[in-house]
Amino acid sequence: MTESVFRSERLTPEAFEALASAHPGVVIPLEQTPQWAAFERSLGREPYGLWAYYDDGGAPAVLMSLLRVRRRFRESLVSINGPVWLTDRSPEAELRLMRTVQRQFAADPGTDPLYVRMQVQHPQPPADGPIEHGWYEREIVVDLTPSEDAIFKSFRPNARNSIRRAERSGVEIRTIEREDWVDVFRKDLYPILQETAERDGFSSFGADYYEKLLSTLGDYLRLMVAYVDNRAVSWLITTEYRGYSVYYFAASTLDARKTFAPYLLLWEAFRQLKAAGNTACGLTGIVSENYPQLVNVTTFKRNFSKNVVDIPTTYDIPLNPGRYRLVAGLLSFRRTAPAKGRALLMGAASSLARLRAGRSGAGS
């Protein structure tokens, strides 16, 4: 019996907007939009289409934006913070989508991915891996629909006290005008991010990434900065799309913590986001099984809400399971094996890849 699959269709930005408008109650992450695809393109990356998937009755079931990623030994198609489900996300429906993308991209002459990476709520074959995790799995979400007083009272006492202490310390919150974003970020804010990354032990993007973000997605962003004695000490970037906002990037100096500036900054962001019509604000990732390194930011974020939301974990959908397992094994060995043995094995793998490419060329 033929396996049941969805009908797939590549969407124009206009068709995407029409389909999204027909489902106003569905939260669509900004990463799953044509606007985010344009941002990826500005970085020199390769968006590979906005896709809609339809059930047997012709009703849209799923939206998914894909990014084409080419890396050594593998090409992949990656759905960042997606797909978006427009209908019931049952185990049977997710299996159908996985079977659909396997068939869809195995037959696509424009790409040759080893796997499609996407979030899966009901893990089951053919979902595998992933070779590396691509998105956080839990987050705090702050409800912005109550009154400002009610939102403030919902915070933990530590957050409320810290906000008051920041006000008494003379912390000033400024919303940066859009025409000044890139200049202010380059001169005053990126050095704070570098300090934060070094102090907390994580790797940030280069300044160009954030400058492209600000210049490309400006219609969907806010840049807010906390100042002490007219000196920037803490900043954040929020996104907004269809009434849902996200506390996306932030950084603070060590001195900012002494004045509790990040607390007042985030509280002012909530107030502005609410005034603009947003109904919720996601605070992005907190600690989980695959992201234990987020424990430090979790402590800060938990001060603002008890509402913890689980996000489907990222998995790979292999198009060639045998080759996928081989590549996954090679990469695992590469990360854990001694340097000498790793170099020998990777050299052998490169030779095999060249031999394979030569044979393909001879037969074309």
Side-chain angles (χ1 to χ4, degrees), residues 89-119:
R89 190 175 190 161
S90 67
E92 295 76 19
E94 279 204 324
L95 177 59
R96 189 177 190 186
L97 179 62
M98 289 188 277
R99 295 300 187 195
T100 299
V101 298
Q102 282 185 316
R103 181 174 300 185
Q104 174 186 0
F105 295 111
D108 187 339
T111 183
D112 183 25
L114 178 61
Y115 54 85
V116 177
R117 176 167 294 160
M118 64 186 193
Q119 292 168 335

Side-chain angles (χ1 to χ4, degrees), residues 249-269:
F249 292 116
S252 299
T253 66
L254 188 59
D255 287 343
R257 298 184 177 186
K258 297 176 183 177
T259 59
F260 301 92
Y263 288 89
L264 182 59
L265 179 61
L266 187 51
W267 168 228
E268 182 60 30

Side-chain angles (χ1 to χ4, degrees), residues 340-358:
K340 185 175 181 180
R342 185 167 64 240
L344 288 172
L345 185 57
M346 300 307 286
S350 296
S351 298
L352 180 62
R354 288 194 297 271
L355 178 61
R356 184 179 177 206

Side-chain angles (χ1 to χ4, degrees), residues 142 155 266-274 281 283 304:
V142 178
F155 299 161
L266 187 51
W267 168 228
E268 182 60 30
F270 290 152
R271 296 177 63 197
Q272 291 198 21
L273 292 167
K274 174 181 172 59
C281 182
L283 302 189
F304 295 96

Side-chain angles (χ1 to χ4, degrees), residues 165-180:
R165 292 174 73 175
E167 291 172 332
R168 291 195 298 269
S169 297
V171 176
E172 178 191 358
I173 307 301
R174 301 179 193 170
T175 299
I176 306 302
E177 296 298 326
R178 185 169 172 178
E179 60 267 24
D180 299 324

